[in-house]
Amino acid sequence: AQSVTQPDIHITVSEGASLELRCNYSYGATPYLFWYVQSPGQGLQLLLKYFSGDTLVQGIKGFEAEFKRSQSSFNLRKPSVHWSDAAEYFCAVGRLTGTASKLTFGTGTRLQVTL
Amino acid sequence: DGGITQSPKYLFRKEGQNVTLSCEQNLNHDAMYWYRQDPGQGLRLIYYSQIVNDFQKGDIAEGYSVSREKKESFPLTVTSAQKNPTAFYLCASNSISTDTQYFGPGTRLTVL
């Protein structure tokens, strides 16, 4: 069975500082990996995804993530955080079943940004 | 604009009542999903549907029912059998070509 671990429940960073959110996954084959962001009371917005190829993927809002197969990790990074990045971030691993993709989500990391 | 709509945004229900949450998409996506979100637990899959008139149970289907009579619509009914229905419910859809799920804005259900 696939699973995702986000070890940090809550992270606080200062505006302008760098950010790294950790994600570890368990999956028996090459995974599809995703990062989503959620503002309070809203739906999830896709930040980036990895299917294959280059292990460093770029996303929206200046985010990037690196797939490391040897460490079963897919950490999200941003070089300089803005106050508007405060939100909850979810890592997910997916697999195809027919025409559907079944996602397993981590429990999320809440990011607080101090000014 | 293309997207996924969910209604209502907030829903209150008395214990013992069934309630139906709406999810509509105009993205021409084949597959649709329902998730439940509780604080500190991430998202858990309730049901999903790959094509019209077909759907499969997810990880926490007990106390819920769905239908898929049209490609655009995937309503979720929370029945009185669901023991703890207060939660935030998210609908999603994806196309075969992108293998990526896109989410609606969610419905917050509160049982009084």
Side-chain angles (χ1 to χ4, degrees):
Chain A
Q2 59 198 57
S3 66
V4 176
T5 301
Q6 292 181 249
D8 303 306
I9 296 173
H10 186 208
I11 284 182
T12 300
V13 299
S14 300
E15 189 175 37
S18 63
L19 172 70
E20 182 169 26
L21 302 182
R22 296 183 290 166
C23 173
N24 293 98
Y25 68 89
S26 173
Y27 188 66
T30 300
Y32 291 0
L33 293 161
F34 304 83
W35 275 100
Y36 288 88
V37 62
Q38 184 182 36
S39 297
Q42 303 297 316
L44 273 67
Q45 181 182 21
L46 179 69
L47 284 176
L48 48 78
K49 60 186 178 183
Y50 171 79
F51 286 179
S52 64
D54 192 347
T55 57
L56 184 63
V57 293
Q58 303 297 321
I60 62 171
K61 304 184 180 188
F63 286 93
E64 66 178 25
E66 186 171 12
F67 170 60
K68 292 186 177 181
R69 184 188 300 276
S70 62
Q71 298 177 22
S72 297
S73 69
F74 189 56
N75 294 349
L76 182 71
R77 301 193 295 246
K78 187 169 184 178
S80 178
V81 169
H82 188 262
W83 64 266
S84 61
D85 293 324
E88 189 148 25
Y89 292 80
F90 291 94
C91 180
V93 61
R95 62 181 176 89
L96 287 179
T97 170
T99 60
S101 62
K102 292 191 71 177
L103 295 184
T104 298
F105 286 84
T107 52
T109 297
R110 182 167 299 280
L111 174 65
Q112 183 177 356
V113 180
T114 58
L115 301 177
Chain B
D1 286 355
I4 304 171
T5 57
Q6 292 186 240
S7 61
K9 186 170 178 65
Y10 299 97
L11 189 56
F12 298 90
R13 189 194 92 177
K14 294 182 179 179
E15 281 194 25
Q17 289 182 337
N18 292 356
V19 64
T20 297
L21 283 60
S22 169
C23 177
E24 303 275 336
Q25 54 98 1
N26 60 5
L27 301 168
N28 199 33
H29 284 174
D30 305 289
M32 297 186 73
Y33 311 77
W34 274 106
Y35 292 90
R36 170 181 171 136
Q37 184 177 24
D38 297 282
Q41 295 194 45
L43 279 71
R44 293 180 290 170
L45 182 64
I46 304 173
Y47 269 99
Y48 67 101
S49 168
Q50 300 182 62
I51 57 173
V52 173
N53 293 323
D54 183 63
F55 46 83
Q56 287 79 41
K57 292 181 179 179
D59 301 318
I60 56 164
E62 185 175 351
Y64 299 97
S65 66
V66 294
S67 63
R68 186 90 185 273
E69 298 178 0
K70 300 185 299 181
K71 187 176 184 179
E72 302 79 19
S73 178
F74 190 42
L76 173 74
T77 296
V78 184
T79 75
S80 57
Q82 170 49 236
K83 301 257 185 280
N84 184 20
T86 294
F88 190 53
Y89 291 88
L90 288 158
C91 177
S93 68
N94 78 266
S95 68
I96 301 173
S97 59
T98 64
D99 295 331
T100 300
Q101 290 187 26
Y102 296 92
F103 285 80
T107 292
R108 183 165 299 281
L109 172 64
T110 302
V111 174
L112 304 174

Coordinates of all heavy atoms in Angstrom, one line a residue, chain A residues 6-8 10-11 13 19-24 35-36 47 63-65 74-78 85 87-91 108-111:
Chain A
Q6 N 4.5 13.4 6.2 CA 4.9 14.7 6.3 C 5.3 14.9 7.8 O 4.4 15.1 8.6 CB 3.9 15.7 5.8 CG 3.6 15.6 4.3 CD 2.6 16.6 3.9 OE1 1.4 16.3 3.5 NE2 2.9 17.9 3.9
P7 N 6.6 14.9 8.1 CA 6.9 14.8 9.5 C 6.7 16.1 10.3 O 6.6 16.1 11.5 CB 8.4 14.5 9.5 CG 8.9 14.8 8.1 CD 7.7 14.7 7.2
D8 N 6.6 17.2 9.6 CA 6.4 18.5 10.3 C 5.0 18.9 10.2 O 4.5 19.2 9.1 CB 7.3 19.6 9.6 CG 8.8 19.2 9.6 OD1 9.3 18.9 10.7 OD2 9.4 19.2 8.5
H10 N 3.8 21.7 11.8 CA 3.7 23.1 11.8 C 5.1 23.7 11.6 O 6.0 23.2 12.3 CB 3.1 23.6 13.1 CG 2.8 25.1 13.1 ND1 2.8 25.8 14.3 CD2 2.6 26.0 12.1 CE1 2.5 27.1 14.0 NE2 2.4 27.2 12.7
I11 N 5.3 24.6 10.7 CA 6.6 25.3 10.5 C 6.4 26.8 10.5 O 5.4 27.3 9.8 CB 7.2 24.8 9.2 CG1 7.8 23.4 9.4 CG2 8.3 25.8 8.8 CD1 8.6 22.9 8.1
V13 N 8.4 30.4 9.5 CA 9.6 31.0 8.9 C 9.4 32.5 8.8 O 8.2 33.0 8.8 CB 9.9 30.4 7.5 CG1 10.2 28.9 7.6 CG2 8.8 30.7 6.6
L19 N 12.7 28.1 2.5 CA 11.7 27.1 3.1 C 12.0 25.8 2.5 O 12.3 25.6 1.3 CB 10.3 27.5 2.7 CG 9.2 26.5 3.0 CD1 9.0 26.4 4.5 CD2 7.9 27.0 2.3
E20 N 11.9 24.7 3.3 CA 11.9 23.4 2.8 C 10.9 22.6 3.6 O 10.9 22.5 4.9 CB 13.3 22.7 2.9 CG 13.2 21.3 2.4 CD 14.6 20.7 2.2 OE1 15.5 21.1 2.9 OE2 14.8 19.8 1.3
L21 N 9.9 22.0 2.9 CA 8.9 21.1 3.6 C 9.2 19.7 3.2 O 9.3 19.4 2.0 CB 7.5 21.5 3.1 CG 7.1 23.0 3.4 CD1 5.6 23.2 2.9 CD2 7.2 23.3 4.9
R22 N 9.2 18.8 4.1 CA 9.6 17.5 3.9 C 8.4 16.5 3.6 O 7.3 16.7 4.1 CB 10.3 16.9 5.1 CG 11.6 17.6 5.4 CD 12.4 17.0 6.6 NE 11.6 17.2 7.9 CZ 11.9 16.6 9.0 NH1 12.8 15.6 9.0 NH2 11.2 16.9 10.1
C23 N 8.7 15.6 2.7 CA 7.7 14.6 2.3 C 8.4 13.3 2.0 O 9.4 13.3 1.2 CB 7.0 15.0 1.1 SG 5.8 13.8 0.4
N24 N 8.0 12.2 2.7 CA 8.6 10.9 2.4 C 7.4 10.0 2.0 O 6.3 10.1 2.6 CB 9.3 10.3 3.6 CG 10.5 11.1 4.0 OD1 10.5 12.0 4.8 ND2 11.6 10.8 3.3
W35 N 2.5 18.1 -5.0 CA 2.3 19.0 -3.9 C 1.2 19.9 -4.2 O 1.0 20.5 -5.3 CB 3.6 19.9 -3.7 CG 4.7 19.3 -2.8 CD1 5.8 18.6 -3.3 CD2 4.7 19.2 -1.4 NE1 6.5 18.2 -2.2 CE2 5.9 18.5 -1.1 CE3 3.9 19.7 -0.4 CZ2 6.3 18.3 0.3 CZ3 4.2 19.5 0.9 CH2 5.4 18.8 1.2
Y36 N 0.3 20.0 -3.1 CA -0.9 20.9 -3.2 C -0.8 21.9 -2.1 O -0.2 21.6 -1.0 CB -2.2 20.2 -3.1 CG -2.6 19.3 -4.3 CD1 -2.2 18.0 -4.4 CD2 -3.4 19.8 -5.2 CE1 -2.6 17.2 -5.5 CE2 -3.8 19.1 -6.3 CZ -3.4 17.8 -6.4 OH -3.8 17.0 -7.5
L47 N 0.5 22.8 -6.8 CA 1.7 23.5 -6.9 C 2.7 23.0 -8.0 O 3.2 23.7 -8.8 CB 2.5 23.5 -5.6 CG 2.0 24.4 -4.5 CD1 2.8 24.2 -3.2 CD2 2.0 25.9 -4.9
F63 N 7.8 27.9 -6.3 CA 8.2 26.6 -5.6 C 8.8 25.6 -6.6 O 8.6 25.6 -7.8 CB 6.9 26.0 -5.1 CG 6.4 26.7 -3.8 CD1 5.4 27.7 -4.0 CD2 6.8 26.3 -2.6 CE1 4.9 28.3 -2.8 CE2 6.3 27.0 -1.5 CZ 5.4 28.0 -1.6
E64 N 9.7 24.8 -6.0 CA 10.3 23.7 -6.7 C 10.3 22.5 -5.7 O 10.2 22.6 -4.5 CB 11.7 24.0 -7.2 CG 12.7 24.2 -6.1 CD 14.1 24.5 -6.6 OE1 14.2 25.0 -7.7 OE2 15.1 24.2 -5.8
A65 N 10.5 21.3 -6.3 CA 10.6 20.1 -5.5 C 11.6 19.1 -6.2 O 11.7 19.1 -7.4 CB 9.2 19.4 -5.3
F74 N 10.4 13.7 -1.5 CA 9.9 14.7 -2.5 C 9.7 16.0 -1.8 O 8.6 16.4 -1.6 CB 8.7 14.2 -3.2 CG 8.2 15.0 -4.4 CD1 9.1 15.2 -5.5 CD2 6.9 15.5 -4.5 CE1 8.7 15.9 -6.6 CE2 6.5 16.3 -5.6 CZ 7.4 16.5 -6.6
N75 N 10.8 16.6 -1.4 CA 10.7 17.8 -0.6 C 10.4 19.1 -1.4 O 11.0 19.2 -2.5 CB 12.0 18.0 0.2 CG 12.3 16.9 1.2 OD1 11.4 16.1 1.5 ND2 13.5 16.8 1.8
L76 N 9.6 19.9 -0.8 CA 9.2 21.2 -1.5 C 10.1 22.3 -1.0 O 10.4 22.4 0.3 CB 7.8 21.5 -1.1 CG 7.1 22.7 -1.8 CD1 7.0 22.5 -3.3 CD2 5.8 23.0 -1.1
R77 N 10.6 23.2 -1.9 CA 11.5 24.3 -1.5 C 11.0 25.6 -2.1 O 10.4 25.6 -3.2 CB 12.9 23.9 -1.9 CG 13.5 22.7 -1.3 CD 15.0 22.6 -1.5 NE 15.3 22.5 -2.9 CZ 15.9 21.4 -3.5 NH1 16.1 20.4 -2.7 NH2 16.2 21.4 -4.7
K78 N 11.4 26.6 -1.4 CA 11.2 28.0 -2.0 C 12.4 28.8 -1.4 O 12.6 28.8 -0.2 CB 9.9 28.6 -1.6 CG 9.6 29.9 -2.3 CD 8.2 30.4 -2.2 CE 7.9 31.6 -3.0 NZ 6.5 32.1 -2.9
D85 N 2.4 33.2 1.3 CA 2.6 31.7 1.3 C 2.1 31.0 2.5 O 2.1 29.7 2.5 CB 4.1 31.4 1.1 CG 4.7 31.8 -0.2 OD1 4.0 31.8 -1.2 OD2 5.9 32.3 -0.2
A87 N -0.1 29.0 4.6 CA -1.2 28.1 4.2 C -0.8 26.7 4.7 O 0.2 26.5 5.4 CB -1.3 28.1 2.6
E88 N -1.6 25.7 4.3 CA -1.3 24.3 4.6 C -0.9 23.6 3.3 O -1.5 23.8 2.2 CB -2.5 23.6 5.2 CG -2.2 22.2 5.7 CD -3.0 21.8 6.9 OE1 -4.1 22.3 7.1 OE2 -2.5 21.0 7.7
Y89 N 0.2 22.8 3.4 CA 0.7 22.2 2.2 C 0.6 20.7 2.4 O 0.9 20.1 3.4 CB 2.2 22.6 2.1 CG 2.4 24.0 1.7 CD1 2.3 25.0 2.7 CD2 2.6 24.4 0.4 CE1 2.4 26.4 2.4 CE2 2.7 25.8 0.1 CZ 2.6 26.7 1.1 OH 2.7 28.1 0.7
F90 N 0.2 20.1 1.3 CA -0.1 18.6 1.3 C 0.8 18.0 0.2 O 0.8 18.4 -1.0 CB -1.5 18.3 1.0 CG -2.4 18.7 2.2 CD1 -3.1 19.9 2.1 CD2 -2.6 17.8 3.2 CE1 -3.9 20.3 3.2 CE2 -3.5 18.2 4.3 CZ -4.1 19.4 4.2
C91 N 1.5 16.9 0.6 CA 2.2 16.0 -0.4 C 1.3 14.8 -0.7 O 0.5 14.4 0.2 CB 3.5 15.6 0.2 SG 4.5 14.5 -0.8
G108 N -0.3 16.8 6.0 CA -0.2 18.3 5.8 C 0.8 18.9 6.8 O 1.1 18.5 7.9
T109 N 1.4 20.0 6.3 CA 2.2 20.9 7.1 C 1.7 22.3 7.0 O 1.5 22.9 5.9 CB 3.7 20.9 6.5 OG1 4.2 19.6 6.6 CG2 4.5 21.9 7.3
R110 N 1.4 22.9 8.1 CA 0.9 24.2 8.2 C 2.1 25.2 8.3 O 2.9 25.1 9.2 CB 0.0 24.4 9.4 CG -0.6 25.8 9.4 CD -1.8 25.9 10.4 NE -2.9 25.1 10.1 CZ -3.8 25.3 9.2 NH1 -3.8 26.5 8.5 NH2 -4.8 24.5 8.9
L111 N 2.1 26.1 7.3 CA 3.2 27.1 7.3 C 2.7 28.5 7.8 O 1.7 29.0 7.3 CB 3.7 27.3 5.8 CG 4.7 28.4 5.6 CD1 6.0 28.1 6.3 CD2 5.0 28.6 4.1

